[in-house]
Amino acid sequence: MPRTPFLVLPLLFVAACAPETVGNNNSVDINAAAVQAQGAVDAYSANADADMIEVPEPEAPIANANGAENALAPPAPGTPGGLPDDGTPMSETPFTADSAQGAANVVQTYYALIGEGKYREAFALREPGSETLLAFAAKLSRYRVYRAQIGAPSAIDAGAGQRYVTVPVALTTLRKGLSSKLTERWIVTLRRTAEVDGATSEQRSWRIQSINLKPGDK
């Protein structure tokens, strides 16, 4: 049975309109205190909503019987549905978080979190948008398999105090209740704020701005 979240709110007692006199002769306006307490309740409720979301649990992974796991792996680079095989190996040298490879690492982390059913953590790597966490998690929980192969990032594109990087992804999915996998190629665009005065570390961190089907794959 699904758990039902409960929100414990402070009880609110409202007395008569006249101020109440306490033992130290200081007057306390009960109505004003009630209004202040209600404001605190409203603020608590608004902040608690995000933490009280019941995120759907993913199903157990498919067993590795008869090579089922390998059959669901993304296509190899250069094969139909796979990433381009440009012959350039991925750099294994250390990289900084604000580099293009740092952006690709965010994409890799994003899809790994989704594959593990950690939808809340994956959602935090996206820029705020019209989609809610609950809608995001409900959409992804329809999949039994959700695997991505991450390609090499583009060079950083600069403009108007912003930095952009695109990362190609070959995504293989399997919907619950279906037996046929689907492989699609996507382009993930990430953005961060440049090193300008007043920019916070959060603003200078790569976040996923959009994820679109690669042109020609629609």
Side-chain angles (χ1 to χ4, degrees):
M1 174 180 292
R3 295 183 295 104
T4 302
F6 293 93
L7 180 62
V8 180
L9 300 178
L11 295 177
L12 201 60
F13 297 95
V14 181
C17 295
E20 178 183 347
T21 302
V22 295
N24 60 1
N25 295 324
N26 290 329
S27 296
V28 177
D29 189 334
I30 299 298
N31 289 334
V35 171
Q36 183 178 6
Q38 184 60 55
V41 170
D42 293 341
Y44 174 83
S45 178
N47 293 331
D49 286 345
D51 295 330
M52 295 175 64
I53 293 176
E54 293 290 334
V55 177
E57 293 292 334
E59 288 189 5
I62 297 175
N64 194 22
N66 300 321
E69 288 287 337
N70 293 332
L72 291 169
T79 63
L83 295 171
D85 186 5
D86 57 9
T88 302
M90 293 288 290
S91 173
E92 296 182 0
T93 59
F95 59 87
T96 59
D98 58 357
S99 66
Q101 189 59 40
N105 188 60
V106 170
V107 176
Q108 183 171 350
T109 302
Y110 172 78
Y111 284 104
L113 289 169
I114 291 176
E116 296 171 5
K118 298 179 180 179
Y119 305 133
R120 190 186 303 276
E121 291 89 338
F123 188 76
L125 296 178
R126 300 180 63 118
E127 288 189 350
S130 58
E131 188 175 42
T132 65
L133 170 59
L134 188 58
F136 177 77
K139 175 180 64 179
L140 292 173
S141 67
R142 301 170 187 164
Y143 294 92
R144 187 170 177 82
V145 173
Y146 205 89
R147 296 181 178 175
Q149 188 176 68
I150 313 302
S154 69
I156 296 178
D157 183 20
Q162 302 294 309
R163 300 292 182 264
Y164 300 88
V165 165
T166 59
V167 179
V169 173
L171 181 64
T172 298
T173 59
L174 177 63
R175 292 283 294 267
K176 293 177 180 178
L178 300 180
S179 57
S180 298
K181 69 177 183 180
L182 175 65
T183 298
E184 298 173 311
R185 292 183 297 175
W186 297 78
I187 298 296
V188 181
T189 301
L190 300 96
R191 178 174 65 175
R192 70 175 181 84
T193 300
E195 291 74 10
V196 296
D197 292 341
T200 65
S201 59
E202 176 66 21
Q203 292 170 330
R204 293 195 300 269
S205 299
W206 291 113
R207 288 292 178 267
I208 296 173
Q209 182 187 42
S210 64
I211 303 177
N212 298 300
L213 273 173
K214 186 177 183 300
D217 285 8
K218 298 181 179 180

